[in-house]
Amino acid sequence: MRAFRWPPPPDGGPRTWGPGPGGPRNGRPALPEPDTELVATPHGVRLERLVTGAGDPVTVFAHGLGNGIAVTRPFGSGVTGRKVFFQFRGHGRSEAPDGPWNYLDLARDLRAVADLSGATRAFGASLGAGALCRLLVESPERFDRLVFFLPAALDQPRGPAARTRLLELLSAVESGDASAVAEVVSVELPPAVRNTPAGWAYLRQRLDHLLRDGLAAGLADLPEQAPVPDAGALAAVTAPALVIAAEGDDLHPVEVAEQLAAALPRATLHRYARPGVLWTERADIRGRISEFLNVGVS
């Protein structure tokens, strides 16, 4: 496969190299982002929010570090009721108060959006999973069903690879150079997807958001922090939980998911056999999440 290059070909992707006919060439792992709103929170930080669907139950979706609403929306596509997506501080159009920030701050963001929306169920991906864990330490009975997708850290900080990746992304976004940002973001794609129309579509969308809204420098310290001081505190959580992991994902070690599932009394752990599951297992992930969150919904 040829090396990554930017800008992409005019037709959105090459036709003469990359994966064969069975490779991913259509769709993308994030939906176009519609108009959102800024909502005031009790702790004084206005956060960007999107509400879709109707009725009960209400599920809040918390994104990963450097991502946002567009990346989490597909996880809710089959979930019944209202879905509430938001941007943590320092992401998208959400405000970026003076730092440094910690997981307790992120938990306040998540709690505020959940409370304002009347959410009874919660989904957290990577950073969002850590913020959800911290919220549950403070309020173990806050939600009645929980999903943790690729948790990255629990009671220990993330490894050096995560900090390096974030610093590279922050530096690229600050430079305003689309090609520099694309080089960093392209690492998120499995090799088989890079230099395909689907890969280029994903990159274009991520670049549109990152270059338009930026990322706050206050995020840089988060990889060096642990979401919770003691994983044992999660033993008080009584809600059923689904924990999803992927083998071979250096930024989201399976060991963290295993520790989280062991700490939660009513958790089910599901492992995928390889990384890049947003591309290789997308339909299965959405079905698994919706089946779990739709339990008890008439």
Side-chain angles (χ1 to χ4, degrees):
M1 181 183 292
R2 296 187 187 180
F4 174 81
R5 59 197 176 96
W6 188 264
D11 63 352
R15 293 289 184 265
T16 58
W17 66 83
R25 289 192 176 275
N26 297 311
R28 54 190 178 190
L31 301 171
E33 196 168 345
D35 291 337
T36 58
E37 59 182 342
L38 284 175
V39 295
T41 65
H43 58 290
V45 180
R46 293 199 305 163
L47 300 174
E48 185 177 7
R49 182 181 70 174
L50 170 70
V51 180
T52 67
D56 293 323
V58 181
T59 306
V60 62
F61 291 79
H63 62 81
L65 186 58
N67 288 307
I69 291 171
V71 178
T72 51
R73 282 187 67 202
F75 294 112
S77 60
V79 176
T80 300
R82 269 189 300 145
K83 280 92 68 171
V84 182
F85 308 90
F86 75 101
Q87 311 267 31
F88 282 113
R89 62 184 63 204
H91 293 79
R93 295 196 297 131
S94 291
E95 292 181 341
D98 292 338
W101 306 330
N102 54 40
Y103 277 93
L104 183 58
D105 294 315
L106 301 181
R108 289 191 180 108
D109 290 350
L110 175 54
R111 180 194 296 275
V113 173
D115 288 351
L116 290 169
S117 309
T120 58
R121 302 180 177 199
F123 167 98
S126 190
L127 176 81
L132 179 55
C133 286
R134 184 53 188 262
L135 189 161
L136 292 169
V137 167
E138 310 296 326
S139 302
E141 298 180 355
R142 175 59 185 81
F143 299 103
D144 57 32
R145 289 191 89 78
L146 304 159
V147 177
F148 301 87
F149 180 74
L150 302 183
L154 190 55
D155 57 6
Q156 297 294 324
R158 301 183 70 171
R163 177 168 175 78
T164 298
R165 182 80 60 84
L166 175 60
L167 291 178
E168 290 175 348
L169 182 59
L170 287 171
S171 176
V173 171
E174 185 178 7
S175 75
D177 182 350
S179 61
V181 179
E183 289 285 352
V184 178
V185 173
S186 68
V187 179
E188 300 173 6
L189 299 170
V193 178
R194 299 172 195 171
N195 288 324
T196 68
W200 290 119
Y202 176 80
L203 280 174
R204 286 184 186 278
Q205 184 183 63
R206 289 278 280 133
L207 262 65
D208 285 347
H209 296 157
L210 289 169
L211 294 174
R212 180 192 68 202
D213 300 322
L215 286 172
L219 300 171
D221 294 329
L222 287 172
E224 297 181 349
Q225 302 179 36
V228 302
D230 179 7
L234 294 172
V237 178
T238 59
L242 173 64
V243 182
I244 299 175
E247 301 281 354
D249 189 328
D250 294 337
L251 296 182
H252 308 94
V254 170
E255 294 76 15
V256 174
E258 291 173 338
Q259 183 187 9
L260 175 57
L264 293 165
R266 301 180 63 191
T268 299
L269 174 64
H270 180 79
R271 291 187 190 85
Y272 288 101
R274 55 179 175 170
V277 293
L278 278 176
W279 294 88
T280 61
E281 304 288 351
R282 185 180 179 189
D284 186 78
I285 290 170
R286 290 191 299 186
R288 196 173 297 276
I289 290 171
S290 61
E291 181 180 1
F292 178 81
L293 289 176
N294 291 344
V295 169
V297 180
S298 58

